[in-house]
Amino acid sequence: MKKRKVFIGGNWKMNLNHLEGKEFVEKLLQLIRNNEKKEIVIFPPFTTLFTVSEVIKNSKIKLGAQNVHWEDKGAFTGEISPQFLIALGCEYVIIGHSERRKYFLENDEMINKKIKKSLSTNLKPVFCVGENLEEREKGETLQVIENQLKKGLKDIKELNGMVIAYEPVWAIGTGINALPAQANEVHSFIREFISQNYGKKISENLRIIYGGSVNKDNIKDLLKEEEIDGALIGGVSIKLNEFAQIINLDL
Ligand code: 13P
């Protein structure tokens, strides 16, 4: 039995339009059985949120977004307000994903503003951290993670339902997942950081999830690790049967 409720997130990235996404969740709901031990959250693209929200209303699947802006409204062409996400029933939002850091030049300061804004709007951030291959090979992993945590959480007093996702960049979309013990080491480090900065109780309740090439075969061993409280799944979250199998896993 895990200490904390297992979080299974499906990050669809830029896949499934509003019609495809609707069909996907209709089918997914037929395949999954009620399992109170897990929290299931899917993160469709912005334009798919509405149709998906209509289907999953009153189901056990929750909704999240893949990004958010740090202001409520105004002249920010192309951006999405946290209020719009709340209005659609989003409970979570992914912040600081490595693809946003890499391709859209999101830096720690922007990530910090997004986290602050989300927390004050009652959106729960899924705050992503992770080192790249070069950093791991140089032995800098924990330093990189600490730096991302310090800057991303700067001046944040309360974590209010936040989830932290450890996503080593070298494991994302590569088919090479971190070994369970490798991930667990970083998760322990993150929990210790939170304990030192927010106290033991908050750190014990915080869920730290792993992301990077998670599939139905490797997830069981990952979740056996004490400090791994769930997974943020990319590619496999849009594979209907495999994602349903993961949701239905007995833990
Ligand atoms: P993959 O599961 O496709 O490796 O993606 C992980 C991820 O980036 C989840 O946010």
Side-chain angles (χ1 to χ4, degrees):
M1 184 66 185
K2 302 287 288 182
K3 272 196 212 153
R4 295 162 281 266
K5 188 163 191 168
V6 170
F7 183 104
I8 303 291
N11 176 8
W12 290 4
K13 308 195 178 182
M14 198 171 71
N15 296 292
L16 304 184
N17 68 28
H18 69 296
L19 299 175
E20 295 161 339
K22 176 173 183 278
E23 192 181 333
F24 184 93
V25 281
E26 281 166 355
K27 290 185 178 157
L28 185 64
L29 285 174
Q30 310 271 315
L31 294 174
I32 60 176
R33 41 168 201 267
N34 249 359
N35 180 339
E36 297 310 320
K37 287 190 201 153
K38 302 190 199 85
E39 184 172 20
I40 315 297
V41 187
I42 50 171
F43 298 84
F46 288 133
T47 53
T48 302
L49 286 171
F50 180 65
T51 51
V52 165
S53 74
E54 295 280 293
V55 178
I56 64 176
K57 227 181 249 173
N58 307 320
S59 81
K60 72 158 295 178
I61 299 181
K62 295 181 176 181
L63 197 61
Q66 297 173 19
N67 186 21
V68 66
H69 191 57
W70 56 77
E71 295 287 346
D72 281 331
K73 61 179 179 178
F76 300 103
T77 302
E79 291 294 324
I80 298 290
S81 160
Q83 302 299 343
F84 302 166
L85 300 179
I86 292 277
L88 281 174
C90 288
E91 184 172 331
Y92 288 92
V93 61
I94 295 174
I95 297 180
H97 193 280
S98 65
E99 286 151 15
R100 295 222 50 92
R101 293 179 193 254
K102 180 173 170 197
Y103 302 125
F104 305 100
L105 310 185
E106 268 189 27
N107 59 33
D108 293 308
E109 194 192 347
M110 292 155 83
I111 289 164
N112 178 249
K113 285 201 227 174
K114 291 179 180 200
I115 294 176
K116 275 187 189 150
K117 182 68 191 178
S118 299
L119 288 170
S120 73
T121 315
N122 278 336
L123 268 175
K124 298 172 186 156
V126 177
F127 171 31
C128 301
V129 295
E131 81 288 2
N132 63 31
L133 186 59
E134 196 189 337
E135 290 160 342
R136 174 154 285 264
E137 284 174 346
K138 282 202 219 147
E140 293 171 359
T141 299
L142 299 181
Q143 237 170 288
V144 169
I145 303 293
E146 182 171 10
N147 193 37
Q148 289 172 342
L149 289 170
K150 266 192 189 151
K151 292 185 173 160
L153 297 176
K154 186 166 182 274
D155 298 329
I156 290 174
K157 303 275 176 296
E158 301 203 33
L159 302 184
N160 292 340
M162 179 188 296
V163 172
I164 296 183
Y166 169 53
E167 299 211 324
V169 179
W170 49 270
I172 296 178
T174 57
I176 304 167
N177 61 288
L179 298 173
Q182 243 174 353
N184 198 58
E185 184 197 0
V186 179
H187 286 225
S188 304
F189 177 81
I190 295 172
R191 200 172 305 286
E192 186 51 35
F193 176 93
I194 296 296
S195 175
Q196 281 178 14
N197 289 277
Y198 295 89
K200 198 167 165 59
K201 183 145 185 271
I202 288 181
S203 82
E204 278 177 354
N205 288 326
L206 174 82
R207 284 174 302 172
I208 305 173
I209 64 176
Y210 167 79
S213 297
V214 172
N215 60 35
K216 67 171 173 25
D217 299 318
N218 59 28
I219 192 165
K220 274 202 160 177
D221 283 340
L222 285 159
L223 289 180
K224 274 184 199 149
E225 296 291 332
E226 178 158 353
E227 300 297 346
I228 303 184
D229 304 315
L232 189 55
I233 305 173
V236 165
S237 72
I238 52 168
K239 291 186 180 169
L240 186 62
N241 289 310
E242 189 168 350
F243 193 53
Q245 259 177 284
I246 290 176
I247 293 174
N248 289 338
L249 273 182
D250 282 321
L251 298 174

